[in-house]
């Protein structure tokens, strides 16, 4: 497992490709895309996969139709939710969250590092409104994904919106964009024709980010081209919470129609990688890659998008 390298836990407490059809965005489901029922091939056994993470084996999965957000939930959307409901996130209640050291201002007071991943710092006053601590704000990043949102926070947002978090299977089906057994939402190549398709680390991690893809931290939720289903940034930018408890092997015995993962666990699953992923230590910016994080954890590289079941 990737552990703290991808996102630290808080310790605070033979089938055809996708048969999915895109019905498009409608006024009744603003900003969402409808995926029809169908089968797809989930998982990966190729040379890029991490077998210990439980990416394989490849298996045929059937899903019922569902709506999914075209983009991750933004700071603007989360702000409206917080204002309307008075909701206070876990990072705000705990008084701190994890921030990537390379984004911290030089004059910030000393911070405690994560032992196995010293580029992660425990920053007092970091939360969704202050992504890099008290000296930062989101006013110029309202179209960026909401960060420092725990799994519990994401569930609260989704419930208030009449939605839910996607299962891993729903997330991966959506991320694949209609392609079969491809590592990225657009195909086989990381940078086809030398073109950047997602926001990941460029250069030498963690010392230097050349920003060749245009970004140091997060980017707007629709900054890169959508996949075949019309969904933006399914890989890179931020990890995204799924509803499933994490297990490296439960999927080998889980049902093959609308799988929902184990009934209990200690960590929740995140998908998609983030702006910190780099092949030198973490190539989890692929549609089949998985990561495990405790549900009360909040970091500067995890966001979420919502789904709702279709009648």
């Amino acid at each position: 497992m990737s552990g703290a390298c991808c996102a630290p836990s808080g310790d605070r407490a033979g089938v055809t490709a996708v048969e999915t059809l895109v019905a498009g965005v409608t006024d009744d489901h603003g900003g969402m895309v409808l995926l029809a029922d169908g089968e797809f091939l989930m998982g990966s056994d190729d040379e890029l996969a991490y077998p210990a993470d439980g990416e394989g084996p490849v298996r045929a999965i059937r899903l019922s139709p569902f709506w999914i957000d075209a983009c991750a939930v933004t700071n603007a959307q989360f702000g409206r939710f917080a204002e309307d409901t008075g909701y206070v996130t876990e990072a705000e209640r705990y008084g701190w969250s994890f921030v990537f050291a390379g984004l911290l201002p030089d004059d910030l007071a000393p911070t405690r590092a994560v032992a196995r991943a010293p580029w992660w710092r425990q920053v007092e006053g970091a939360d969704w409104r202050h992504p890099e601590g008290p000296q930062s704000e989101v006013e110029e990043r309202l179209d960026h994904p909401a960060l420092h949102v725990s799994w519990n926070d994401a569930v609260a947002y989704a419930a208030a919106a009449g939605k839910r978090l996607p299962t891993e299977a729903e997330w991966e089906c959506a991320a694949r964009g209609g392609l079969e057994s491809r590592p990225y939402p657009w195909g086989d190549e990381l940078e086809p024709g030398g073109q950047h398709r997602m926001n990941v680390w460029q250069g030498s991690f963690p010392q230097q980010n050349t920003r060749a893809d245009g970004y140091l931290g997060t980017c707007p939720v629709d900054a890169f081209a959508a996949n075949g289903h019309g969904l933006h940034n399914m890989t890179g930018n931020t990890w995204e919470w799924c509803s499933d408890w994490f297990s490296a092997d439960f999927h080998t015995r889980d049902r093959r129609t609308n799988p929902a993962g184990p009934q209990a666990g200690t960590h929740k699953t995140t998908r998609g990688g983030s702006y910190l992923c780099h092949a030198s230590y973490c190539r989890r910016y692929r549609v089949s890659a998985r990561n495990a994080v405790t549900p009360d954890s909040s970091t500067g590289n995890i966001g979420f998008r919502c789904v709702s079941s279709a009648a």
Side-chain angles (χ1 to χ4, degrees):
M1 268 307 300
S2 56
C5 71
C6 293
S9 288
D11 295 326
R12 289 158 169 164
V15 175
T16 58
V18 186
E19 297 173 11
T20 310
L21 302 176
V22 178
V25 177
T26 74
D27 291 337
D28 291 336
H29 292 79
M32 301 188 83
V33 170
L34 176 63
L35 301 189
D37 62 324
E39 287 187 333
F40 81 106
L41 296 181
M42 184 173 181
S44 175
D45 295 314
D46 67 27
E47 67 277 3
L48 296 176
Y50 290 100
D53 289 356
E55 287 193 47
V58 175
R59 63 270 186 200
I61 298 295
R62 173 165 285 277
L63 296 175
S64 298
F66 64 97
W67 293 88
I68 183 167
D69 289 343
C71 300
V73 172
T74 65
N75 285 314
Q77 292 171 314
F78 199 84
R80 288 193 292 271
F81 157 70
E83 181 177 355
D84 291 345
T85 65
Y87 186 82
V88 179
T89 63
E90 292 195 284
E92 291 172 286
R93 296 199 296 271
Y94 285 122
W96 63 271
S97 190
F98 288 113
V99 179
F100 175 63
L103 298 178
L104 296 176
D106 294 336
D107 58 349
L108 189 72
T111 54
R112 188 172 70 174
V114 175
R116 290 185 297 132
W119 50 86
W120 280 114
R121 302 298 177 84
Q122 180 180 331
V123 177
E124 299 294 327
D127 54 48
W128 75 269
R129 289 186 177 90
H130 309 96
E132 291 83 52
Q135 296 167 274
S136 63
E137 53 188 25
V138 296
E139 276 64 25
E140 295 184 358
R141 289 180 273 181
L142 294 178
D143 59 349
H144 286 226
L147 307 175
H148 303 289
V149 175
S150 70
W151 184 89
N152 297 314
D153 299 331
V155 168
Y157 176 98
K163 303 177 184 180
R164 59 180 173 81
L165 294 183
T167 64
E168 275 199 84
E170 288 172 333
W171 189 96
E172 184 172 324
C173 176
R176 289 187 175 279
L179 300 180
E180 179 182 3
S181 300
R182 301 291 190 267
Y184 307 112
W186 53 85
D188 291 317
E189 297 182 54
L190 177 62
E191 298 171 4
Q195 182 181 34
H196 294 284
R197 296 292 187 92
M198 61 178 164
N199 178 18
V200 292
W201 190 273
Q202 308 291 323
S204 176
F205 187 88
Q207 295 82 11
Q208 180 192 28
N209 189 336
T210 66
R211 310 189 196 191
D213 57 13
Y215 302 97
L216 175 61
T218 59
C219 66
V221 296
D222 61 352
F224 292 87
N227 70 4
H229 290 331
L231 309 176
H232 293 271
N233 294 357
M234 293 299 294
T235 53
N237 211 26
T238 65
W239 286 94
E240 296 184 0
W241 289 111
C242 291
S243 61
D244 306 44
W245 290 105
F246 182 89
S247 169
D249 61 6
F250 183 81
H251 60 280
T252 63
R253 55 188 183 277
D254 198 3
R255 61 179 184 261
R256 291 294 183 260
T257 298
N258 296 323
Q263 293 185 350
T266 59
H267 292 63
K268 288 292 184 177
T269 304
T270 57
R271 288 297 205 113
S274 81
Y275 62 90
L276 295 177
C277 284
H278 186 269
S280 64
Y281 84 105
C282 172
R283 55 180 184 271
R284 292 181 176 85
Y285 41 62
R286 295 168 294 104
V287 294
S288 61
R290 315 173 68 224
N291 192 38
V293 185
T294 56
D296 64 342
S297 294
S298 61
T299 76
N301 73 333
I302 300 180
F304 69 103
R305 74 181 72 209
C306 301
V307 302
S308 60
S309 300

